[in-house]
Amino acid sequence: MSIAPEPDVEVRMRLFRPASLLLFGVLVVAVIFAVAWQYGWHGRLAFSESAGDARAQIQSAALMLQSGQYRAAEEQLAPILKNPKNPLYRQAKLLQWRIARTQALAIPPQSPARQRAEAGLLPLLDGLLQLGGWTPPELRSLAKDAFAVGAYRLSAKFWIAAAKADPSFSMQGQWQAAKALAAGGDAAAAGQILLDLAAKTPDPARQKALLFQGGQWLQGGAGAAVALTRCQVLLARRPELWQDRQVVLFMSRLAMAAGQPALAAQWLHSELLRPEQAGKSS
């Protein structure tokens, strides 16, 4: 009687040999790794949420925001916000800001609670600015948000970032940044931005408008003497503006305010000596 193992028994014995076990283990690990990679694990030793879970949490938080469930919305985002390497971290940060902003603006204006809530928005805005990498539309939206809650300096920074990110928006972005700075009490910085813009734009009408507004903001923020000096620097770069009578009158008034009546008289005298046609405003 033969004692040779039956074919199916022999197959099972081969499967349990060390080499076969090793190969089987490698295959199992490879399958687990592939599944884990597909669902959001990219080399980290530990992860609690898959990419699918994160997307669902963001969608859920957005719905809760719409229904006014602010605390519940924040709880949905909490796991994602703990992991800056999560591919959806930036989206979660942006939604976190929108939740906080909406919640703050829902509080009655002028109340102490509203003031505290708005003060708590500043670190969130600054964190978004420091995170960087936002698209031009996102930067413009954040700039408007910052202005709406009184974070004027941060609004200006977002406008400047938007201007740098989108060259076609550069002039408009810098103008908006100047408006935000002026609203925040930094009229001198706002005025200097406008004078810099006046030096860059090829449009004479635009140059004149920027000179007037920039000079006025500089005068209000840094004094007439500073405004006079910086406007003169601009006019040295754009001497054609001296041909405009409105510019001469503006600079003369600025010189008078700066305590330099002789300079004002000199400009006015030169203007009076020019032919009428040459002295007309453009």
Side-chain angles (χ1 to χ4, degrees):
M1 180 178 181
S2 173
I3 59 174
E6 296 181 2
D8 59 337
V9 175
E10 184 177 357
V11 169
R12 287 196 297 271
M13 290 176 63
R14 284 201 302 270
L15 286 175
F16 286 101
R17 290 173 183 170
S20 298
L21 287 173
L22 178 61
L23 179 59
F24 180 74
V26 170
L27 290 173
V28 170
V29 171
V31 171
I32 293 174
F33 180 82
V35 173
W37 186 276
Q38 179 180 359
Y39 283 91
W41 182 61
H42 297 290
R44 297 183 295 275
L45 293 178
F47 65 97
S48 58
E49 302 294 332
S50 70
D53 290 338
R55 281 191 291 271
Q57 287 167 334
I58 287 177
Q59 292 171 358
S60 178
L63 291 174
M64 291 175 178
L65 168 60
Q66 293 177 6
S67 62
Q69 302 178 64
Y70 306 123
R71 181 62 60 84
E74 291 171 345
E75 291 174 352
Q76 285 294 311
L77 295 179
I80 307 172
L81 295 173
K82 292 178 181 178
N83 181 14
K85 295 183 179 179
N86 191 305
L88 297 178
Y89 176 78
R90 296 171 60 82
Q91 188 175 346
K93 289 290 289 184
L94 198 57
L95 184 54
Q96 179 193 33
W97 156 250
R98 290 171 179 161
I99 293 169
R101 179 204 61 190
T102 305
Q103 188 174 9
L105 295 180
I107 302 172
Q110 310 303 324
S111 66
R114 172 69 170 265
Q115 295 174 3
R116 289 193 298 269
E118 289 185 348
L121 295 176
L122 298 183
L124 290 176
L125 272 173
D126 189 60
L128 292 173
L129 181 65
Q130 298 302 321
L131 187 58
W134 304 106
T135 65
E138 288 171 337
L139 289 168
R140 292 192 288 268
S141 177
L142 288 169
K144 293 175 184 177
D145 286 349
F147 194 96
V149 299
Y152 300 115
R153 288 184 179 275
L154 283 171
S155 177
K157 290 180 179 180
F158 277 115
W159 282 121
I160 292 295
K164 292 180 178 178
D166 181 4
S168 67
F169 183 74
S170 180
M171 294 286 289
Q172 185 179 349
Q174 292 179 70
W175 166 254
Q176 293 293 342
K179 287 175 61 178
L181 288 171
D186 196 352
Q192 187 60 57
I193 289 176
L194 296 194
L195 293 187
D196 291 340
L197 287 177
K200 297 174 183 176
T201 180
D203 181 6
R206 185 71 169 162
Q207 291 168 7
K208 187 170 70 171
L210 291 168
L211 167 66
F212 292 166
Q213 185 63 74
Q216 290 171 8
W217 277 346
L218 268 168
Q219 182 177 1
V226 172
L228 177 63
T229 299
R230 296 187 183 178
C231 287
Q232 286 179 284
V233 171
L234 168 62
L235 291 170
R237 299 174 65 181
R238 293 290 188 182
E240 65 275 12
L241 285 173
W242 279 116
Q243 304 303 312
D244 190 301
R245 177 161 291 177
Q246 292 181 354
V247 171
V248 175
L249 293 175
F250 172 79
M251 292 298 293
S252 298
R253 287 193 297 267
L254 199 54
M256 291 291 292
Q260 298 193 44
L263 186 58
Q266 174 188 333
W267 289 335
L268 290 172
H269 181 69
S270 298
E271 178 63 23
L272 289 173
L273 292 178
R274 285 199 301 153
E276 180 66 21
Q277 187 63 32
K280 289 184 179 180
S281 61
S282 56

